[in-house]
Amino acid sequence: MQSPDVFDRDGPTGSASRPRCIADTRTSFCHAVEQHTGVKPNRPGQPNFFKQAQFSQDGTTIVTHNADESLRTFVLPPDLLNSASQPHELRPHATLPSATNVQSYAIYPGFNLADPSTTLILSAPSNLPLRLTNALVPSYVPATYSYINSANEAFIAPNSLAFIDGGTHFVAGSAGRIAVFDVTRQAGPEMYHNLKAKAGATGMRDTSRIMALSVSSDGLLAAGSTNRNVGLFGNSGRGACETTFSIAGRMSEVTATRGSGTTSLAWTPDGRYLLVAERQSDGVHVYDVRNLLRRVSFLSGRNAKTTQRLGIDVIAPREGCEVWAGGVDGVTRVWNNPGSTEGEHRPDAGIEMHDDAVSSAVWHPSGALLATCSGQRSFGKVDFGDNESSSDTDSESLSENEQSTIRQPNNTLKIWDFTPVGSEVVEGPAV
């Protein structure tokens, strides 16, 4: 892999710095799924790629979701920023396996590594109740929440989850429904919006899956669906739908902004702009909440034309804010001050960080470190480097063209430091 491009972390007034990988998982996950769990997936020989990564609010821990449907807790080493011991090898502190597909998960916002009673993960496995699990001791499950469809008595597995009110409640988005739960009550939702009802009932009518949720600094809940609709709800989701709109855009914009459904939502720190990412899309939509009928700009050049969920993150550096998003080419791209440029907004920087699709690029809560993870589902032959492939056919019997299509997976979690070499750094990961 080539060295990352030089990137100006602090904007025009700062000094250019080259990000350094200070910790990673090496090749621990560059193997087939069944090697990690012993359970064969629907399609044998699939790589155990990283689907998503999230930082805990205290910055000490990263929780990942892999293709083997396990949630893993990585506790950052205390000497993470000590250059003498870099790069560190990241190993899971704990693993939470799942018998069914995990549709979504969220880390408790009060997560504090020093207080084990707060180190909690909320997850939504298919055909099972939602569960609140201790990230350090996965066998300890403080609470479960039965979310049942009254029409057929089947469990509802939300496609998106978000804690609200400092963690006393959480919001769950599923097909045609947005529900609000009380964390202290091990029961169904205390209220919900039925999006399958007539539009006059909630202001948003959508029978498809709610794949993304995000709450602004003003308590405005944004919900995005696979039908390319976005609704805004007051009071962190308890209030009525204040407005709804489609990100399909005008016919003249369809070619440039084509996508196949919302996968990620994020607000700028001031709550002014809403960012919408989609599957099979080359960019990110930017909407001004004061005028939701007009797209302000389109952050193009992302290189994310895939059905896989590729997340986005927003960070506020010294001035303004930045949007970070990974692409299928292993490059993480950056757009400065979304909304400041009308129309198409090309990337302001790009950094090659992986040899595979970057599924997550998330910033440490302090803005000091960046975590990225990679990998993707394979539809061809995969070389795991240990005489395994997605086919039982021996590689020597393959034609030259077939051998050229064999792909080596790069399923890794990495931690990046943007501090210039020789600069004074803070101690410990929880900066």
Side-chain angles (χ1 to χ4, degrees):
M1 185 176 74
Q2 299 176 353
S3 299
D5 298 335
V6 174
F7 173 68
D8 187 357
R9 178 69 190 89
D10 292 320
T13 60
S15 58
S17 61
R18 184 182 296 274
R20 294 174 293 114
C21 179
I22 59 176
D24 62 34
T25 53
R26 306 290 199 272
T27 60
S28 298
F29 294 88
C30 297
H31 304 288
V33 168
E34 55 262 36
Q35 283 190 299
H36 291 268
T37 62
V39 177
K40 291 187 177 181
N42 293 332
R43 182 183 174 90
Q46 282 298 302
N48 195 27
F49 63 93
F50 285 86
K51 292 185 174 183
Q52 188 181 9
Q54 297 182 20
F55 258 115
S56 62
Q57 191 57 44
D58 68 346
T60 63
T61 305
I62 297 173
V63 178
T64 64
H65 178 202
N66 284 74
D68 62 2
E69 299 304 334
S70 293
L71 299 180
R72 290 179 171 84
T73 301
F74 293 84
V75 177
L76 302 187
D79 60 342
L80 180 66
L81 300 180
N82 183 355
S83 59
S85 55
Q86 294 172 353
H88 298 266
E89 181 175 1
L90 297 174
R91 296 179 179 273
H93 176 86
T95 300
L96 172 61
S98 175
T100 61
N101 293 342
V102 176
Q103 298 298 324
S104 55
Y105 74 102
I107 303 177
Y108 177 61
F111 191 109
N112 180 2
L113 190 64
D115 182 1
S117 67
T118 66
T119 56
L120 304 173
I121 314 171
L122 178 67
S123 60
S126 299
N127 304 316
L128 292 170
L130 283 76
R131 57 183 178 180
L132 193 65
T133 309
N134 193 291
L136 305 181
V137 187
S139 59
Y140 177 50
V141 182
T144 60
Y145 308 91
S146 293
Y147 192 15
I148 298 175
N149 186 334
S150 58
N152 56 17
E153 298 186 351
F155 284 109
I156 298 174
N159 301 103
S160 52
L161 293 168
F163 279 100
I164 60 173
D165 300 340
T168 62
H169 294 76
F170 65 86
V171 184
S174 56
R177 181 180 292 196
I178 298 173
V180 179
F181 289 75
D182 184 338
V183 172
T184 63
R185 295 178 62 249
Q186 296 194 53
E190 64 177 23
M191 63 87 62
Y192 67 89
H193 298 279
N194 181 10
L195 308 184
K196 296 180 181 180
K198 293 183 178 180
T202 65
M204 180 181 183
R205 185 179 183 183
D206 198 317
T207 59
S208 67
R209 292 171 293 169
I210 302 299
M211 299 296 292
L213 297 168
S214 183
V215 183
S216 72
S217 55
D218 298 327
L220 199 59
L221 174 74
S225 76
T226 54
N227 276 348
R228 308 188 76 191
N229 293 320
V230 176
L232 299 183
F233 298 79
N235 195 17
S236 300
R238 296 188 191 83
C241 180
E242 298 187 2
T243 188
T244 182
F245 61 98
S246 172
I247 57 177
R250 298 184 295 269
M251 290 301 296
S252 60
E253 302 173 321
V254 168
T255 301
T257 62
R258 181 180 290 119
S260 61
T262 306
T263 56
S264 299
L265 295 170
W267 294 89
T268 54
D270 59 5
R272 177 178 177 179
Y273 295 109
L274 176 65
L275 309 170
V276 186
E278 296 188 87
R279 283 191 174 95
Q280 297 284 12
S281 174
D282 193 43
V284 179
H285 308 269
V286 182
Y287 287 90
D288 189 331
V289 295
R290 299 170 304 180
N291 184 5
L292 291 170
L293 299 179
R294 184 179 68 90
R295 181 187 295 107
V296 177
S297 62
F298 183 72
L299 310 183
S300 63
R302 184 185 179 187
N303 196 0
K305 288 188 176 295
T306 174
T307 57
Q308 182 178 346
R309 282 194 193 187
L310 303 182
I312 60 175
D313 197 17
V314 179
I315 183 175
R318 186 179 304 169
E319 296 180 0
C321 71
E322 299 166 352
V323 178
W324 289 67
V328 296
D329 56 356
V331 175
T332 300
R333 293 173 174 83
V334 190
W335 296 264
N336 296 329
N337 300 318
S340 61
T341 301
E342 290 203 9
E344 183 182 12
H345 184 166
R346 299 290 300 174
D348 294 292
I351 313 169
E352 186 179 359
M353 293 181 156
H354 291 269
D355 291 324
D356 218 325
V358 180
S359 50
S360 288
V362 291
W363 279 97
H364 186 280
S366 69
L369 303 169
L370 177 72
T372 60
C373 63
S374 64
Q376 60 183 306
R377 184 177 292 105
S378 175
F379 295 99
K381 296 179 175 63
V382 181
D383 179 11
F384 293 104
D386 50 8
N387 298 323
E388 290 190 48
S389 71
S390 60
S391 171
D392 294 332
T393 305
D394 188 85
S395 60
E396 294 182 359
S397 65
L398 299 176
S399 67
E400 184 176 342
N401 289 337
E402 288 176 320
Q403 290 190 34
S404 67
T405 62
I406 296 178
R407 187 179 65 84
Q408 289 189 330
N410 178 236
N411 310 323
T412 54
L413 170 67
K414 296 183 178 183
I415 309 296
W416 301 85
D417 183 9
F418 284 76
T419 307
V421 177
S423 300
E424 181 181 354
V425 296
V426 291
E427 296 184 357
V431 291

